[in-house]
């Protein structure tokens, strides 16, 4: 270079990039990252408030089987159990107390049952029933007529006879008989026969769906 100014010595100035520009670049990158995070969070919030939960619930409902309504089972049980007015009861006295069969038959009639024979028990049972009594009927009556009659005398033994004809059932009064159950208690026991029963293992089990 000519002129007034000359560079002397063996060291020359180096051309360096401005430190201010580097700081601006770093700051811009940081701002972009923050804005990206904020944008992602905003989208998540919009998804939650606009139906994200509904979609999750719908998916859970699709994966969980529907539970059967308890009322369906109750209706089926109620249809299978006959009303007292459709049950014919033969009242047989196997004790030495006279008039017990007639007294019991009269009370059953007040409670809606149809009364058949009222007499002493047959020889094979007479004076041989030590308990409260025996309820005897055809095989098909075990979970129908005998169940309904059993609500009137819960402690009685229940028996069925496959060779028995007809639908009538017997109430054989034993030596331990002190009377039928109180009407209110018998009504509750009858109502419980049609109540839905929980399946084994279902009580206390939490649904994971």
């Amino acid at each position: 270079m000519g002129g007034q100014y000359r560079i002397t010595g063996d060291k020359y100035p180096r051309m360096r990039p401005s430190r201010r520009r580097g700081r601006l670049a770093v700051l811009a990158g940081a701002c972009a990252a923050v804005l990206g995070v904020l944008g992602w969070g905003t989208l998540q919030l919009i998804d939650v408030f606009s139906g994200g939960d509904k979609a999750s619930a719908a998916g859970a409902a699709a994966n969980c089987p529907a539970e059967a309504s308890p009322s369906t089972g109750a209706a089926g049980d109620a249809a299978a159990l006959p009303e007292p007015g459709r049950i014919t009861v033969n009242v047989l006295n196997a004790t030495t107390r006279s008039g017990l069969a007639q007294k019991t038959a009269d009370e059953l009639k007040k409670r809606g049952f149809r009364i058949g024979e009222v007499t002493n028990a047959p020889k094979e049972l007479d004076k041989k029933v030590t308990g409260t009594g025996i309820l005897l009927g055809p095989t098909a009556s075990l979970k129908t007529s005998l169940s309904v009659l059993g609500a009137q005398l819960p402690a009685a033994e229940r028996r069925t006879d496959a060779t028995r004809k007809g639908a009538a059932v017997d109430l054989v009064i034993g030596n331990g008989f002190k009377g039928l159950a109180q009407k209110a208690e018998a009504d509750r026991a009858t109502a419980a026969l049609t109540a839905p029963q929980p399946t084994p293992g279902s009580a206390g089990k939490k649904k994971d769906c």
Side-chain angles (χ1 to χ4, degrees):
M1 289 181 61
Q4 184 178 358
Y5 301 98
R6 293 186 178 182
I7 297 175
T8 59
D10 57 356
K11 294 183 179 180
Y12 297 90
R14 297 180 179 178
M15 303 299 292
R16 296 180 180 178
S18 174
R19 292 184 178 180
R20 184 176 180 181
R21 291 182 181 178
R23 292 176 181 175
L24 289 176
V26 172
L27 182 60
C31 290
V34 171
L35 290 175
V37 172
L38 290 176
W40 180 83
T42 302
L43 289 176
Q44 293 301 311
L45 289 175
I46 292 174
D47 180 64
V48 169
F49 287 105
S50 65
D53 289 343
K54 294 181 180 179
S56 298
N63 293 328
C64 293
E67 294 184 351
S69 174
S71 60
T72 303
D77 292 341
L81 292 176
E83 296 291 333
R86 298 175 57 190
I87 302 174
T88 299
V89 183
N90 301 317
V91 185
L92 311 177
N93 188 1
T95 75
T96 58
R97 291 176 281 174
S98 62
L100 192 57
Q102 187 61 58
K103 182 180 178 180
T104 304
D106 291 342
E107 182 59 30
L108 286 173
K109 187 175 181 179
K110 290 179 182 178
R111 299 185 184 188
F113 290 88
R114 296 173 62 183
I115 304 301
E117 295 183 21
V118 180
T119 185
N120 292 326
K123 184 178 180 179
E124 61 269 19
L125 292 175
D126 191 25
K127 302 179 183 64
K128 297 178 182 179
V129 181
T130 58
T132 300
I134 297 174
L135 306 182
L136 178 63
T139 303
S141 68
L142 182 59
K143 294 184 179 181
T144 56
S145 300
L146 289 186
S147 293
V148 177
L149 182 59
Q152 310 299 321
L153 194 62
E157 179 186 352
R158 301 180 191 181
R159 299 181 185 178
T160 59
D161 183 357
T163 64
R164 187 182 179 101
K165 304 297 183 181
V169 295
D170 297 343
L171 191 165
V172 183
I173 301 174
N175 291 328
F177 181 83
K178 295 181 180 180
L180 298 174
Q182 294 295 321
K183 187 176 185 306
E185 295 178 0
D187 289 344
R188 285 194 293 269
T190 301
L193 293 174
T194 61
Q197 300 297 323
T199 58
S202 64
K205 185 177 181 179
K206 184 178 180 182
K207 190 175 180 180
D208 295 331
C209 295

